[in-house]
Amino acid sequence: MSYLYPDLDDEHRLAGLGHSGFILHIIPDFLLQLQPMTDITERLTRFTTPEQRELIHLIAREANRLGMHAYLVGGFVRDLLLGRMVNDFDIVVVGNAITLCRSLVKKYGGRLTPHILFKTATWFLPETFAGHPRVWDLTSARLETYARPAALPTVTLGTLHDDLRRRDFTINAMALCLDSDCFGVLIDPLGGRADLEHGLIRVIHPRSFIDDPTRLFRAVRYAVRYGFRLAPETAALIPDALPYVDDLSPERLRHELDLIFEEGQPTRILERLFALGILQSIYPPLPSSKADLARLRRIRFPSQATSSSETPDLPLHEARWIAWLMALPTKEIRAIARRLHFTADLKKKVLAASSIFHNLDAMGGWTPSLCTAWLEGFPDQAIQVVSLCLPAVKARDCLKNYLEQWKTVRPLTNGETLKALGLPPGPLYKEWLWQLRAAWLDGAISTAAEEEMLLHKLIEERRQKHGDTNDLQSERM
Ligand code: ATP
């Protein structure tokens, strides 16, 4: 036992001391950081609810009973130290999280979903925990090795130190002890707290970006989110890692970009990714002009919008994908959709937005009925995003009017009315009903009587054209 920290057992003391060579480098800081931090326990109280804390203690107690140690790690610790509200509870246990989760289910109910490959488990709490967070992800402390760059890692159970060293950046590699004998002790073997204080994003080892090039995207995302800089040694590693971006699977790449599109400043993030040559490594024609990136700013969080029409009716990241790519030609969009495995639905919306975007000039001179006829072929959400991205121009009014009024405009006449007039059902129905609708849309008619007159005119024209002798029951109009 350490004479400085008699309360800590071997696992806690060794958490930062697992590998020789590392020891000399980290001992002084590590020991300093191990002081129980009253401000951390205070922060825990301030930034979490009593129900969340109750669950944290309950999980930690059960882990201890099974001989495991439990820690809060990653983004939770980072945001707590930054004084930000935290909702993601990233709990790591030294031991098997699936065993712990099974035991929790046995004792408290609910159900679990184990993820055998990554040795994690999700506990879905039972109804009896009303008012508590109902889903908890529990992770086993693990060691990760990479068979080749950009591959998914091979995972084995490990120590807390292994688990912290496998992480992306020092600011995400701190743990908060949850065991009763060291509750609230910060375990920071890699200098995460100092980097947080200095506003630095720093990888944990020089091969980090090559092992997992998604970290290139994560580094810039965190830097912009927190107004941090990349540590110079970290920035210097980027050029050598760029060729490996191409080896990332479409899903992993898209996931990282989705995360960027959920951030407060996606434009800034993309600008920096371009400046560092990272986005071009995915696919060179990805849009990088000021205008392309500025469109992202127009798609805002629902909380920032002053009216519901200012937020698109689809997830933020999807709306921003559409906003970003809409100016590209069809061929490029298809290539990007292939590279990043877009869902068929997202691909359809981006292609629709691109068609609309490239016809905006023409659309400015169209009648409402022409606009409506054309826009009806596209998903509303794509139209909505294009409309949000445009400055006040005539074409934007067309899009807005279509969504807010024109698409729902219908004549009073319907198929039943035409049938009652003795007209045989057929393609003519569709044509006449459209002519009536177009007349309403373009302001040629605006009352029921005017619609009736127009319908009679259409019937008369048909009679003259075809010499039709059908007995049209116009009196039933
Ligand atoms: P955010 O606020 O963006 O959600 P987070 O830290 O919760 O931040 P997650 O993506 O949920 O981020 O990841 C949880 C933790 O897992 C991170 O804090 C980090 O320690 C680790 N992690 C995530 N992705 C990687 C990666 N590619 N390489 C190494 N560690 C990672």
Side-chain angles (χ1 to χ4, degrees):
M1 297 287 270
S2 157
Y3 68 95
L4 272 174
Y5 300 98
D7 285 350
L8 298 181
D9 65 14
D10 279 352
E11 169 59 26
H12 295 123
R13 278 188 297 108
L14 292 176
L17 308 174
H19 297 297
S20 57
F22 191 55
I23 298 177
L24 282 178
H25 173 65
I26 58 127
I27 278 181
D29 278 355
F30 174 57
L31 292 181
L32 279 176
Q33 297 292 355
L34 263 179
Q35 323 237 8
M37 305 217 177
T38 45
D39 68 315
I40 291 185
T41 30
E42 272 164 28
R43 276 164 196 244
L44 262 176
T45 312
R46 189 144 46 101
F47 292 112
T48 57
T49 64
E51 289 81 11
Q52 290 167 337
R53 290 195 296 280
E54 188 190 332
L55 256 298
I56 289 170
H57 282 294
L58 181 149
I59 292 169
R61 263 201 316 274
E62 190 58 14
N64 290 173
R65 198 184 67 77
L66 296 171
M68 303 178 190
H69 300 291
Y71 305 88
L72 273 163
V73 291
F76 182 96
V77 182
R78 177 196 69 219
D79 285 347
L80 192 78
L81 292 178
L82 285 172
R84 291 180 152 227
M85 209 56 202
V86 274
N87 285 311
D88 260 5
F89 295 88
D90 204 347
I91 294 186
V92 158
V93 291
V94 180
N96 190 330
I98 300 176
T99 310
L100 169 62
C101 203
R102 276 209 189 95
S103 186
L104 287 164
V105 169
K106 202 164 155 205
K107 206 160 182 174
Y108 300 102
R111 63 188 174 81
L112 94 147
T113 305
H115 310 282
I116 309 290
L117 188 63
F118 288 104
K119 307 191 192 318
T120 64
T122 306
W123 181 26
F124 297 91
L125 270 68
E127 298 288 327
T128 42
F129 281 91
H132 292 73
R134 299 289 286 279
V135 181
W136 288 80
D137 287 318
L138 306 174
T139 310
S140 309
R142 65 204 203 205
L143 179 69
E144 290 183 347
T145 47
Y146 291 83
R148 57 186 162 79
L152 282 177
T154 308
V155 173
T156 49
L157 291 182
T159 63
L160 178 65
H161 174 233
D162 294 329
D163 196 78
L164 296 179
R165 271 189 69 84
R166 77 170 171 87
R167 289 173 186 269
D168 44 6
F169 310 111
T170 56
I171 60 164
N172 285 341
M174 292 177 275
L176 215 53
C177 182
L178 297 180
D179 297 349
S180 53
D181 57 355
C182 61
F183 189 85
V185 167
L186 181 73
I187 299 172
D188 177 21
L190 301 159
R193 190 170 202 180
D195 281 340
L196 264 190
E197 277 158 14
H198 294 115
L200 289 173
I201 306 293
R202 187 192 303 281
V203 287
I204 288 167
H205 58 88
R207 265 192 70 85
S208 183
F209 287 139
I210 293 178
D211 280 346
D212 181 353
T214 64
R215 293 172 187 159
L216 295 164
F217 298 85
R218 298 178 66 82
V220 176
R221 181 161 62 87
Y222 288 124
V224 172
R225 183 199 293 173
Y226 297 120
F228 285 8
R229 342 181 249 117
L230 303 189
E233 308 79 20
T234 293
L237 299 170
I238 293 177
D240 284 350
L242 293 180
Y244 298 98
V245 170
D246 204 37
D247 296 336
L248 283 169
S249 72
E251 287 72 20
R252 294 186 70 201
L253 259 179
R254 207 191 57 244
H255 177 67
E256 285 309 323
L257 290 160
D258 284 350
L259 291 176
I260 289 169
F261 288 142
E262 293 288 344
E263 292 281 333
Q265 303 182 71
T267 304
R268 290 280 304 281
I269 300 176
L270 294 192
E271 277 166 0
R272 302 235 359 228
L273 287 169
F274 272 116
L276 292 164
I278 299 171
L279 276 180
Q280 300 88 317
S281 325
I282 301 179
Y283 186 67
L286 278 173
S288 61
S289 76
K290 262 195 162 11
D292 287 322
L293 299 180
R295 279 197 302 276
L296 290 168
R297 279 198 209 103
R298 303 184 81 102
I299 310 292
R300 296 190 264 169
F301 287 108
S303 58
Q304 297 172 317
T306 47
S307 77
S308 62
S309 65
E310 279 188 18
T311 49
D313 199 9
L314 74 177
L316 193 62
H317 64 268
E318 283 198 19
R320 284 174 164 171
W321 272 114
I322 299 170
W324 187 33
L325 301 182
M326 69 168 69
L328 288 177
T330 307
K331 193 171 138 234
E332 305 289 14
I333 293 173
R334 288 189 191 283
I336 292 165
R338 246 192 329 274
R339 171 66 183 102
L340 298 175
H341 275 196
F342 278 6
T343 59
D345 186 59
L346 179 60
K347 184 169 121 187
K348 183 175 162 195
K349 287 175 186 154
V350 179
L351 286 169
S354 164
S355 290
I356 299 166
F357 184 85
H358 288 107
N359 278 287
L360 287 172
D361 284 346
M363 208 190 300
W366 290 354
T367 58
S369 61
L370 199 54
C371 282
T372 303
W374 192 64
L375 290 173
E376 268 178 344
F378 300 116
D380 281 0
Q381 293 155 331
I383 302 170
Q384 205 180 13
V385 174
V386 181
S387 148
L388 285 172
C389 288
L390 295 181
V393 289
K394 182 128 191 289
R396 189 183 71 171
D397 291 341
C398 285
L399 302 180
K400 282 184 73 143
N401 286 335
Y402 168 76
L403 290 170
E404 289 166 16
Q405 304 165 29
W406 300 343
K407 66 181 270 209
T408 54
V409 168
R410 291 285 179 280
L412 301 167
T413 308
N414 59 25
E416 288 305 313
T417 328
L418 298 179
K419 214 160 146 192
L421 286 169
L423 285 162
L428 194 65
Y429 274 36
K430 199 170 161 203
E431 191 188 312
W432 280 8
L433 291 177
W434 168 250
Q435 287 198 36
L436 296 175
R437 186 177 172 209
W440 278 100
L441 285 166
D442 294 337
I445 59 173
S446 54
T447 63
E450 284 173 359
E451 179 178 326
E452 197 178 323
M453 274 168 60
L454 177 57
L455 180 58
H456 279 289
K457 191 169 155 245
L458 294 173
I459 292 169
E460 193 48 41
E461 280 171 8
R462 181 175 182 268
R463 264 212 190 100
Q464 285 177 8
K465 195 166 163 199
H466 298 288
D468 195 342
T469 53
N470 273 354
D471 180 18
L472 300 177
Q473 300 164 28
S474 52
E475 66 279 3
R476 291 180 63 181
M477 275 288 291

